[in-house]
Amino acid sequence: MTVSNSHLREAIDVLKKTGVRITPQRHAILEFLINADTHPTADEIYRALEGNFPNMSVATVYNNLRVFREAGLIKELPYGDSSSRFDFSTSEHYHAICNECGKIVDFHYPGLDEVEHFASSVTGYEVNKHRLEVYGTCPECQAKLK
């Protein structure tokens, strides 16, 4: 069994345990998220799957993303006025974002966990999460710009 199949099976088990029915559309959206390394928007997911599900609407995608988020299967990454992006990886990690094409790449840096403790001690806040993004130009866009 491949890693993505294993993740899919585990995610379906989580949904079933919470009483969520696994529809073909729900299965396809979940599988798309597991295999995507682009942190897609709901519209991108819809466009990728609409050919296989002509009766599916963007609202169906948004509703399923909400179900997945509430079940703890995905993270929603809101970016101000632009559309949220969705990430199947819910482990603590950070994002590098290309200023040119918008590509998002995950990276891990465990030393930043101390930031929450420091912020809490300095501000008095009860810190429960943090988010780090670095911005630059991805290798593909660098090559195009030369």
Side-chain angles (χ1 to χ4, degrees), residues 7 18 26-27 30 32 35 50 66 89 106 126 142:
H7 288 309
T18 59
R26 192 165 280 155
H27 188 279
L30 192 55
F32 183 84
N35 292 315
E50 69 179 329
R66 180 184 44 77
S89 177
D106 293 344
E126 188 176 304
Q142 288 176 47

Side-chain angles (χ1 to χ4, degrees), residues 36-105:
D37 59 359
T38 60
H39 303 73
T41 65
D43 287 337
E44 289 168 346
I45 296 168
Y46 169 73
R47 285 194 305 273
L49 299 177
E50 69 179 329
N52 295 334
F53 300 96
N55 294 329
M56 184 172 67
S57 68
V58 177
T60 301
V61 175
Y62 275 106
N63 289 336
N64 280 291
L65 291 170
R66 180 184 44 77
V67 168
F68 299 159
R69 187 187 69 235
E70 290 172 358
L73 295 175
I74 64 171
K75 279 186 179 178
E76 182 174 359
L77 307 170
Y79 289 101
D81 292 339
S82 62
S83 297
S84 289
R85 295 190 164 271
F86 296 89
D87 190 352
F88 183 76
S89 177
T90 58
S91 65
E92 288 302 321
H93 66 279
Y94 308 103
H95 298 104
I97 302 168
C98 181
N99 291 321
E100 300 297 320
C101 68
K103 178 180 176 181
I104 302 173
V105 176

Side-chain angles (χ1 to χ4, degrees), residues 2 4-5 9 22 25 36-37 41 58 69 87-89 91-92 96 100 108 110 117 121-122 132-134 137:
T2 67
S4 62
N5 284 341
R9 189 173 316 276
I22 308 303
Q25 293 90 345
D37 59 359
T41 65
V58 177
R69 187 187 69 235
D87 190 352
F88 183 76
S89 177
S91 65
E92 288 302 321
E100 300 297 320
H108 300 268
H117 301 294
S121 67
V122 169
L132 173 74
E133 298 158 356
V134 295
T137 306

Side-chain angles (χ1 to χ4, degrees), residues 94 109-122 127 130:
Y94 308 103
Y109 187 72
L112 289 175
D113 293 339
E114 296 172 14
V115 170
E116 287 185 10
H117 301 294
F118 180 74
S120 180
S121 67
V122 169
V127 177
H130 69 272

